[in-house]
C-alpha cells in the first residue's frame, strides 16, 4: 500500500499547453489506503432540540412537569444557573461562569385556558410525587365551571404539535383528584380552534395516582395543533406524565423515534452512531451530566438531563433506545461518557482523580448493559427490557472535547479499566475542541483512536485539501468526530456542501489514518437553533436535509474498498485574474495609520492617493479620520474597513505605508473585494502581533487560508513600514520593507480521488468541482479495462448560495445518469458547483 500525498499527486497546475481540459489519471495498479468501513458514521447530540422535540417521538413538551427544576449541583441566581464555585479543571481558579435559565415559569410549555366565567389556577406541586425520581406534578385547582364555561390545561408541544389526518396517537397520563367528580376530556385542537381529535374520560377516578390511556384518532390535520385536557366541574386535579405519541414511529418501536427524521439517519447508512454528545456529555456540573442509568427503564421515572444547550431532555431517548436505534439501522454504537469533568468551555467543575471509582464502575456497567450475557448483572437488566441479545457497542469515548495532560492521566485510568474487561472495545480519547492535542497525546499511555474536531469556515477545505496527507502516522487511528463547514455559509448552502465534500475526499484518501468521521451537529429544530449550521432541519411537521447531507450520503454510498493513485492536472487559467476587485485598509483591535497608497499595473501608476482624502474611501466600522494627510483608524475592535471608492484592479502592485499607533495586532490589507460578501485580506501581525497570514472573508466570517508565517519580531509601534502586495493572476506576494514575507497561491478548485470497489468490481471516481463553470475533463484509467457504459451520480446547484428548504426539500439531490463511451481514456464534463461520483465496471485486468 502506498500513501499518496496530495501535494505530489493531486494538484499540478500547469500552463495550458498540451490540453485545455482537466486531466484525471487513475492508476489501476497503484493502490493506496484501504478505505475504512467505519467512514462515515453519525453523531447525535441533544442540541437544538435534536432529540427532545426532534428525533424522539414524544409530542408533549415537559410531559413530566420536571422542566423548571434547577440542574443538579447548581443554584439559581438572578435568572442564571450557577454551578458550584470550585476551581476550574484547566484554569485552576474559580471562573464565575453562569448561564441563563430558560424556563419561562414553573410549568414551561403548559398554560391554563378558561372561558365562560370559569375560574381555575395552576401550580407546580411536589407534595405527593408520582415517583420520587420525578416528583413534580401540575395542580389544577378549579373553583368554578359554569354550565357554558370551560377549564383546560393546554400544552403547546414543541412549537406546535403536528397532527395528521387519520393518524392515531397514544395518550397516557396520570391523575389524582380531590373533591373532583367531573370528566377529563383530552383533545387535539388546531391552531384555528378546530377540534381534531377527542377522547372523554367520563369520571376522574378516586384517590391516589391513576393511569389514563386512550388512542386519539385525528379527523383532520394541523401542523401547529395544541393538546388540551379539559375539566367539567370544580375540584382539584393533579396531573403528571402527560404523554402523546404517534402510533407510527420508526420501525414501530414503542417509545420510538419520529419516522421522517430517523429515516434520514438510516438512509445515511451510518457505520456507527456516536451518542449522546457533544457538550451534552460534559454537562454544566458533574451531578447534572448525563447518567445512563437514569435514562433506563420506565419513562415516567426518568428524571431527565439538563442540556448545556439550555433545555431539559426527558431522556426518553435514553441509553437503551440509542442502542436499539444502532441495531435498527445496522450501525455500531459509540458511547461517550462523562469522565468526571463538566464542560471546560463553560464551568469546568470536576471530580478529583482519586474519586473516579464510581464513574469507572458506572462506565463498566454501561458496557455490561450493552454487551454482557443475560445472566450478568446489567445484561439481566437489558434482558428484562426485552433485549437478551447484546447490542452492537464497539466504541467508547472518554469525555468530550477534554484535552491536556490532566485529562490524559484521567484517560489512562479509564482506558486500563475498560480494556482489562473488554479488550475488544475501541477506546477513544478526546482531543479538545480542534486538532490533535500534543500535550494530551504525549501523556496518554495508550489509546486506540483520537477524536479531533474540525469546524471550518468556507474555503478552508480547499486551501487545506492536503491536511491529513501530512499527519504523521502513529500506532493509533484518527476519528474526525465533529466536522462541518459552518461559517460564511449562512445556515448552510452549496458552498458548505462543496467544502464538506472536499474535506471528505481528504478523509477517504487518508483512510489508513482517518478511519472514522461524523458531521456535526446532525439535527436542528428551527425554532431553537443552538448552532449556526446543522445537517437536517425540521419543525414539528416538516423536515429537510441540506445539500451537505446528500453529499455525505452519496460519498458514503459510493465508498471504494481501496484508493487508487489519482493525479489531477488542472490547466492553469493564466488569463483570468483570480483576485480582481477593490482594495482597502483595515485593522483588528489595533490603531493604525496608512498613507501613500499607490497602485501600478505593468509598471504604470494607475492610482495614487497623494494626500489622503476621506471622500475617496468608504469608511465603515471603527473610527476613521484623516490627520496630517494620513488615514488613521483610532478605535480598538474588529471589522473597521476603509474601501477605496469606485476602483477595481485585477493584476497590480499595491504599495502603501503603514504605522501602528496602539493596540494588539498590526495591519490588514483587504483586496479582491468583489462585494460585501466575499473578499481576501493580508493580516500582518495577527495573533497578537506574532504571525502574518492570508485570510478570506465570506459573508462576514473570516478564515485563515495560508500557513501562518511567524514574524521575526513584532511590528513596532510608531514606525512606518512599506507594505507591498504583488497581485498576479493566480498568486499574491506580500513584501514588507522590500523583503518577501509570504505568497498566496489561488487554491485548487477541482478535487478528485479514485478507488476500486471490490464488492461490485468497479472503479469509482469522486470529483468536486468548486467553481461556477462546467469543467471538461479527460479521465484516463490505466492498468484496468472498463466496461463501455458507466454511471454518474451528480449533486449540483445553480449557485453557491443554493440550498434545500422546507418548501423545496429535495430541490438539490443527487441525480443518476448513464455515462457512455467509457474506455481507457474518456471525456466527461463536470457540472458547475458539483459533486460527482463516476462508476465504471472493471472488465478484466489488462495485459501488462
Ligand atoms: O456540535 C456542537 C458542539 O461542538 C458539540 O457539542 C461540541 O462537542 C463541539 O464543541
Amino acid at each position: 500500500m502506498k500513501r499518496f500525498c496530495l501535494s505530489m499527486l493531486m494538484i499540478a497546475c500547469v500552463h495550458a499547453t498540451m490540453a485545455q481540459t482537466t486531466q484525471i489519471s487513475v492508476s489501476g495498479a497503484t493502490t493506496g489506503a484501504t478505505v475504512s468501513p467505519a467512514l462515515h458514521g453519525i453523531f447525535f447530540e441533544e442540541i437544538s432540540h435534536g432529540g427532545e422535540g426532534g428525533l424522539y417521538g414524544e409530542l408533549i413538551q415537559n410531559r413530566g412537569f420536571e422542566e423548571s427544576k434547577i440542574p443538579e449541583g447548581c443554584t439559581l441566581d438572578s435568572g442564571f444557573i450557577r454551578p458550584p464555585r470550585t476551581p476550574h479543571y484547566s484554569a485552576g481558579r474559580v471562573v464565575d461562569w453562569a448561564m441563563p435559565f430558560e424556563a419561562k415559569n414553573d410549568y414551561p410549555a403548559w398554560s391554563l385556558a378558561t372561558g365562560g366565567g370559569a375560574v381555575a389556577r395552576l401550580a407546580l406541586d411536589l407534595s405527593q410525587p408520582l415517583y420520587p425520581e420525578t416528583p413534580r406534578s401540575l395542580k389544577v385547582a378549579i373553583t368554578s365551571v359554569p354550565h357554558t364555561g370551560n377549564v383546560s390545561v393546554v400544552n403547546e408541544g414543541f412549537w406546535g404539535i403536528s397532527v395528521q389526518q387519520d393518524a392515531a396517537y397514544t395518550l397516557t397520563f396520570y391523575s389524582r383528584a380531590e373533591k373532583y367528580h367531573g370528566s377529563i376530556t383530552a383533545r387535539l385542537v388546531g391552531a384555528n380552534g378546530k377540534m381534531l381529535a377527542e377522547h372523554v374520560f367520563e369520571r376522574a377516578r378516586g384517590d391516589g395516582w391513576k393511569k389514563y390511556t386512550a388512542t386519539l384518532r385525528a379527523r383532520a390535520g394541523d401542523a401547529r395543533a395544541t393538546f388540551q385536557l379539559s375539566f367539567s366541574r370544580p375540584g382539584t386535579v393533579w396531573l403528571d406524565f402527560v404523554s402523546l405519541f404517534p402510533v407510527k414511529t420508526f420501525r414501530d418501536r414503542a417509545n420510538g423515534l419520529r419516522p421522517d427524521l430517523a429515516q434520514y439517519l438510516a438512509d445515511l447508512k451510518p457505520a456507527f452512531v456516536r451518542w449522546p454528545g457533544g457538550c451534552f456529555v460534559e454537562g454544566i456540573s458533574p451531578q447534572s451530566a448525563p447518567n445512563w442509568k437514569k435514562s433506563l427503564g420506565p419513562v415516567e421515572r426518568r428524571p431527565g438531563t439538563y442540556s448545556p444547550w439550555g433545555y431539559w431532555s426527558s431522556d426518553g431517548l435514553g441509553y437503551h433506545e440509542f442502542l436499539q436505534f444502532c441495531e435498527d439501522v445496522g450501525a455500531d454504537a459509540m458511547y461517550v461518557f462523562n469522565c468526571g469533568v463538566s464542560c471546560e468551555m463553560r464551568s469546568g467543575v470536576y471530580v478529583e482523580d482519586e474519586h473516579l471509582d464510581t464513574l469507572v464502575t458506572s462506565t463498566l456497567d454501561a458496557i455490561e448493559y450493552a454487551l454482557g450475557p443475560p445472566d450478568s448483572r446489567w445484561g439481566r437488566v437489558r434482558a428484562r427490557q426485552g433485549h437478551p441479545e447484546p447490542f452492537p457497542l464497539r466504541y467508547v469515548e472518554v469525555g468530550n472535547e477534554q484535552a491536556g495532560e490532566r485529562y490524559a492521566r484521567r484517560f489512562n485510568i479509564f482506558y486500563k479499566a475498560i480494556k482489562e474487561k473488554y479488550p475488544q472495545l475501541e477506546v477513544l480519547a478526546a482531543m479538545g475542541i480542534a486538532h490533535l492535542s500534543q500535550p494530551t497525546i504525549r501523556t496518554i499511555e495508550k489509546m486506540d483512536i483520537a477524536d479531533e474536531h474540525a469546524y471550518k469556515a468556507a474555503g478552508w477545505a480547499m486551501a487545506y485539501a492536503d491536511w491529513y496527507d501530512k499527519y504523521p502516522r502513529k500506532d493509533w487511528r484518527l476519528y474526525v468526530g465533529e466536522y462541518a463547514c459552518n461559517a460564511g455559509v449562512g445556515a448552510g448552502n452549496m458552498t458548505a456542501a462543496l467544502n464538506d465534500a472536499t474535506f471528505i475526499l481528504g478523509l477517504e484518501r487518508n483512510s489508513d489514518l482517518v478511519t472514522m468521521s461524523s458531521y456535526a451537529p446532525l439535527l436542528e429544530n428551527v425554532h431553537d437553533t443552538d448552532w449556526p449550521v446543522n445537517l437536517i432541519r425540521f419543525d414539528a411537521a416538516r423536515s429537510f436535509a441540506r445539500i451537505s447531507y446528500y453529499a455525505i450520503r452519496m460519498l458514503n454510498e459510493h465508498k471504494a474498498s481501496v484508493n487508487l493513485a489519482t493525479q489531477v492536472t488542472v490547466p492553469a487559467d493564466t488569463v483570468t485574474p483570480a483576485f480582481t476587485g477593490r482594495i482597502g485598509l483595515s485593522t483588528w483591535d489595533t490603531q493604525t495609520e496608512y498613507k501613500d497608497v499607490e497602485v501600478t499595473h505593468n509598471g504604470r501608476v494607475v492610482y495614487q492617493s497623494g494626500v489622503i482624502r476621506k471622500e475617496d474611501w468608504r469608511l465603515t466600522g471603527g473610527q476613521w479620520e484623516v490627520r496630517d494627510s494620513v488615514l488613521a483608524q483610532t478605535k480598538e475592535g474588529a471589522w473597521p474597513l476603509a474601501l477605496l471608492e469606485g476602483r477595481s484592479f485585477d493584476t497590480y502592485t499595491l504599495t502603501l505605508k503603514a504605522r501602528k499607533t496602539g493596540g494588539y495586532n498590526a495591519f490588514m490589507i483587504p483586496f479582491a473585494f468583489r462585494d460585501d460578501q466575499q473578499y481576501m485580506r493580508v493580516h500582518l501581525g495577527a495573533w497578537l502581533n506574532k504571525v502574518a497570514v492570508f485570510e478570506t472573508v465570506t459573508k462576514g466570517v473570516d478564515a485563515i487560508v495560508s500557513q501562518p508565517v511567524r514574524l521575526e519580531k513584532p511590528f513596532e509601534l510608531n514606525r512606518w513600514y512599506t507594505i507591498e502586495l504583488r497581485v498576479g493572476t493566480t498568486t499574491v506576494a506580500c513584501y514588507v520593507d522590500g523583503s518577501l514575507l509570504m505568497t498566496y497561491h489561488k487554491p485548487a478548485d477541482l478535487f478528485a480521488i479514485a478507488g476500486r470497489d471490490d464488492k461490485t468490481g468497479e472503479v469509482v471516481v469522486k470529483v468536486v468541482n468548486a467553481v461556477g463553470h462546467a469543467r471538461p475533463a479527460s479521465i484516463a484509467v490505466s492498468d484496468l479495462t472498463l466496461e463501455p457504459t458507466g454511471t454518474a451520480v451528480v449533486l449540483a446547484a445553480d449557485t453557491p448560495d443554493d440550498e434545500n428548504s422546507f418548501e423545496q426539500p429535495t430541490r438539490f439531490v443527487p441525480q443518476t445518469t448513464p455515462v457512455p463511451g467509457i474506455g481507457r481514456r474518456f471525456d466527461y464534463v463536470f457540472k458547475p458547483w458539483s459533486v460527482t461520483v463516476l462508476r465504471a465496471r472493471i472488465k478484466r485486468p489488462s495485459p501488462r
Side-chain angles (χ1 to χ4, degrees):
M1 185 274 286
K2 280 204 190 83
R3 191 153 61 75
F4 326 124
C5 182
L6 180 79
S7 51
M8 286 193 321
L9 287 176
M10 281 271 306
I11 311 164
C13 290
V14 296
H15 288 273
T17 45
M18 262 170 50
Q20 289 303 322
T21 50
T22 292
Q23 310 285 321
I24 300 176
S25 309
V26 179
S27 165
T30 317
T31 54
T34 300
V35 181
S36 160
L39 281 176
H40 307 273
I42 57 176
F43 161 51
F44 171 83
E45 176 172 19
E46 190 56 81
I47 177 173
S48 303
H49 283 270
E52 192 78 2
L55 183 60
Y56 182 50
E58 176 63 74
L59 298 171
I60 302 292
Q61 189 178 159
N62 190 15
R63 65 183 174 190
F65 304 99
E66 299 295 326
E67 293 195 3
S68 58
K69 72 183 167 213
I70 308 304
E72 263 180 88
C74 302
T75 49
L76 187 64
D77 173 6
S78 314
F80 283 78
I81 310 172
R82 272 187 201 285
R85 294 188 85 254
T86 50
H88 186 277
Y89 190 62
S90 42
R93 60 185 163 77
V94 174
V95 294
D96 240 338
W97 179 88
M99 69 184 279
F101 189 46
E102 310 274 353
K104 283 179 266 168
N105 55 31
D106 280 352
Y107 33 86
W110 291 94
S111 58
L112 177 70
T114 54
V119 179
R121 214 160 34 86
L122 299 185
L124 194 70
D125 193 1
L126 284 96
S127 59
Q128 290 187 55
L130 173 61
Y131 292 108
E133 306 90 329
T134 52
R136 288 161 187 76
S137 61
L138 187 70
K139 180 177 175 185
V140 190
I142 308 151
T143 314
S144 70
V145 191
H147 188 56
T148 53
N150 55 73
V151 171
S152 300
V153 171
V154 182
N155 187 274
E156 63 196 43
F158 295 94
W159 298 274
I161 294 172
S162 171
V163 175
Q164 277 158 33
Q165 186 170 359
D166 297 328
Y169 299 87
T170 306
L171 169 68
T172 311
F173 67 94
Y174 291 78
S175 180
R176 173 163 86 72
E178 199 175 279
K179 295 187 188 140
Y180 180 75
H181 305 292
S183 60
I184 302 179
T185 304
R187 290 194 190 96
L188 282 164
V189 180
N192 56 4
K194 184 171 162 186
M195 211 253 290
L196 309 172
E198 183 180 65
H199 183 91
V200 183
F201 298 91
E202 289 300 345
R203 231 179 141 70
R205 283 173 284 139
D207 289 344
W209 288 104
K210 298 281 183 294
K211 185 174 183 177
Y212 294 76
T213 55
T215 301
L216 300 182
R217 192 166 294 278
R219 339 180 166 135
D222 192 304
R224 296 202 72 163
T226 56
F227 172 77
Q228 308 191 352
L229 284 175
S230 305
F231 306 91
S232 57
R233 298 273 180 84
T236 303
V237 177
W238 284 260
L239 297 171
D240 204 351
F241 196 78
V242 185
S243 165
L244 185 73
F245 243 86
V247 166
K248 180 79 205 134
T249 58
F250 182 67
R251 304 275 158 96
D252 296 320
R253 298 244 169 248
N255 189 42
L257 306 179
R258 181 173 147 173
D260 58 336
L261 298 182
Q263 194 57 50
Y264 278 122
L265 306 188
D267 289 345
L268 279 171
K269 301 199 175 69
F272 62 89
V273 180
R274 172 172 166 224
W275 181 94
C279 296
F280 182 80
V281 168
E282 302 170 75
I284 56 175
S285 62
Q287 301 94 318
S288 72
N291 178 336
W292 70 276
K293 287 181 186 167
K294 293 184 181 174
S295 78
L296 284 187
V299 277
E300 296 90 326
R301 303 184 76 148
R302 301 186 191 179
T305 303
Y306 192 73
S307 170
W309 300 106
Y311 61 90
W312 276 96
S313 156
S314 65
D315 285 346
L317 200 179
Y319 187 54
H320 184 94
E321 289 78 13
F322 147 66
L323 293 166
Q324 182 63 71
F325 177 66
C326 292
E327 189 176 83
D328 284 348
V329 297
D332 287 325
M334 181 190 295
Y335 171 55
V336 189
F337 60 87
N338 184 290
C339 62
V341 187
S342 69
C343 181
E344 287 182 66
M345 301 302 286
R346 296 175 170 91
S347 50
V349 184
Y350 64 94
V351 174
E352 296 285 357
D353 280 9
E354 45 280 21
H355 298 135
L356 284 180
D357 294 8
T358 325
L359 279 173
V360 171
T361 307
S362 162
T363 305
L364 294 175
D365 290 349
I367 298 171
E368 187 175 279
Y369 183 88
L371 299 179
D375 58 355
S376 62
R377 178 166 171 227
W378 286 99
R380 194 172 309 122
V381 181
R382 181 192 68 235
R384 276 207 306 269
Q385 301 298 309
H387 203 288
E389 298 306 319
F391 279 119
L393 179 69
R394 180 158 179 192
Y395 310 96
V396 286
E397 182 162 356
V398 183
N400 174 67
E401 288 196 344
Q402 266 87 40
E405 292 176 7
R406 201 167 179 192
Y407 162 73
R409 285 194 292 275
R410 180 163 290 220
F411 174 88
N412 294 338
I413 299 172
F414 281 102
Y415 185 89
K416 246 218 259 23
I418 295 167
K419 287 299 248 197
E420 231 167 66
K421 241 184 138 179
Y422 300 98
Q424 78 274 31
L425 283 181
E426 308 255 32
V427 183
L428 291 92
M431 288 286 135
I433 57 170
H435 298 298
L436 292 177
S437 151
Q438 294 309 328
T440 317
I441 291 171
R442 275 198 301 273
T443 316
I444 276 179
E445 284 160 14
K446 175 110 188 81
M447 66 176 158
D448 300 324
I449 302 174
D451 171 7
E452 82 163 30
H453 294 173
Y455 292 106
K456 302 295 178 189
W460 187 93
M462 283 81 186
Y464 293 96
D466 58 351
W467 184 257
Y468 291 110
D469 301 74
K470 294 177 173 163
Y471 272 43
R473 271 50 178 173
K474 302 278 177 176
D475 65 347
W476 39 263
R477 285 153 288 131
L478 189 61
Y479 164 43
V480 185
E482 297 180 28
Y483 73 87
C485 170
N486 68 355
V489 293
N493 56 23
M494 187 61 187
T495 300
L498 293 166
N499 276 265
D500 292 329
T502 304
F503 186 72
I504 292 170
L505 298 198
L507 302 184
E508 292 189 0
R509 185 177 53 248
N510 287 285
S511 194
D512 59 314
L513 169 78
V514 190
T515 53
M516 306 172 78
S517 78
S518 44
Y519 183 98
L522 191 60
L523 292 160
E524 172 201 353
N525 186 320
V526 295
H527 290 287
D528 193 18
T529 303
D530 295 315
W531 196 259
V533 177
N534 306 278
L535 202 58
I536 297 161
R537 310 185 72 202
F538 60 89
D539 61 16
R542 305 167 300 168
S543 56
F544 74 91
R546 290 188 29 246
I547 308 180
S548 285
Y549 167 92
Y550 291 102
I552 295 166
R553 181 167 144 183
M554 75 186 255
L555 291 173
N556 190 35
E557 246 165 42
H558 297 283
K559 228 162 41 198
S561 316
V562 63
N563 282 285
L564 293 176
T566 307
Q567 183 170 351
V568 180
T569 310
V570 181
D573 183 350
T574 50
V575 182
T576 320
F579 305 107
T580 301
R582 297 164 71 183
I583 57 169
L585 304 167
S586 180
T587 62
W588 193 281
D589 277 340
T590 307
Q591 294 86 0
T592 299
E593 295 174 343
Y594 293 106
K595 68 175 183 180
D596 298 343
V597 183
E598 185 181 278
V599 179
T600 59
H601 175 66
N602 290 339
R604 205 167 51 83
V605 176
V606 293
Y607 171 76
Q608 212 162 27
S609 65
V611 174
I612 293 249
R613 288 161 11 116
K614 216 173 171 181
E615 52 276 25
D616 290 348
W617 300 82
R618 191 184 89 188
L619 303 171
T620 52
Q623 195 164 304
W624 293 94
E625 59 192 62
V626 172
R627 56 178 190 215
D628 305 330
S629 74
V630 306
L631 184 60
Q633 200 297 109
T634 57
K635 224 170 134 185
E636 258 172 36
W639 301 110
L641 176 64
L643 203 57
L644 183 61
E645 288 284 22
R647 299 296 302 266
S648 174
F649 306 99
D650 44 35
T651 53
Y652 57 95
T653 299
L654 164 67
T655 319
L656 56 87
K657 291 207 162 52
R659 173 164 75 172
K660 168 178 172 172
T661 56
Y664 299 99
N665 301 312
F667 317 117
M668 267 184 162
I669 319 294
F671 64 97
F673 196 104
R674 295 206 178 95
D675 51 44
D676 285 343
Q677 303 290 309
Q678 176 84 40
Y679 62 96
M680 290 199 68
R681 66 189 179 201
V682 166
H683 194 174
L684 300 172
W687 302 359
L688 305 179
N689 211 355
K690 288 201 180 69
V691 299
V693 286
F694 285 94
E695 297 173 338
T696 55
V697 179
T698 312
K699 294 182 198 260
V701 178
D702 52 346
I704 293 175
V705 290
S706 67
Q707 277 304 340
V709 173
R710 199 149 273 283
L711 300 173
E712 268 171 28
K713 53 183 182 158
F715 287 97
E716 291 167 28
L717 269 183
N718 300 317
R719 173 179 156 188
W720 283 106
Y721 290 90
T722 303
I723 297 168
E724 195 179 304
L725 292 193
R726 294 189 194 163
V727 182
T729 312
T730 57
T731 57
V732 182
C734 174
Y735 291 76
V736 175
D737 287 342
S739 301
L740 177 66
L741 184 63
M742 57 184 182
T743 306
Y744 176 73
H745 299 268
K746 176 182 171 249
D749 44 27
L750 184 128
F751 305 87
I753 59 168
R756 201 182 60 218
D757 184 342
D758 291 336
K759 289 186 296 299
T760 61
E762 287 173 295
V763 164
V764 184
V765 181
K766 297 178 169 179
V767 178
V768 176
N769 181 25
V771 288
H773 57 80
R775 250 347 195 321
S778 168
I779 300 164
V781 181
S782 64
D783 304 300
L784 290 172
T785 309
L786 302 176
E787 297 280 358
T789 305
T791 329
V793 185
V794 182
L795 176 62
D798 305 326
T799 78
D801 292 333
D802 280 336
E803 187 50 283
N804 292 323
S805 62
F806 282 128
E807 292 69 34
Q808 294 182 290
T810 53
R811 182 159 168 223
F812 303 104
V813 295
Q815 307 293 341
T816 304
T817 49
V819 180
I822 291 198
R824 218 166 254 285
R825 179 177 285 282
F826 62 99
D827 295 334
Y828 186 83
V829 179
F830 293 100
K831 288 194 164 177
W833 313 122
S834 66
V835 182
T836 303
V837 174
L838 295 174
R839 302 194 69 117
R841 198 165 293 281
I842 303 166
K843 241 186 193 163
R844 57 186 164 76
S846 70
R848 290 213 142 222

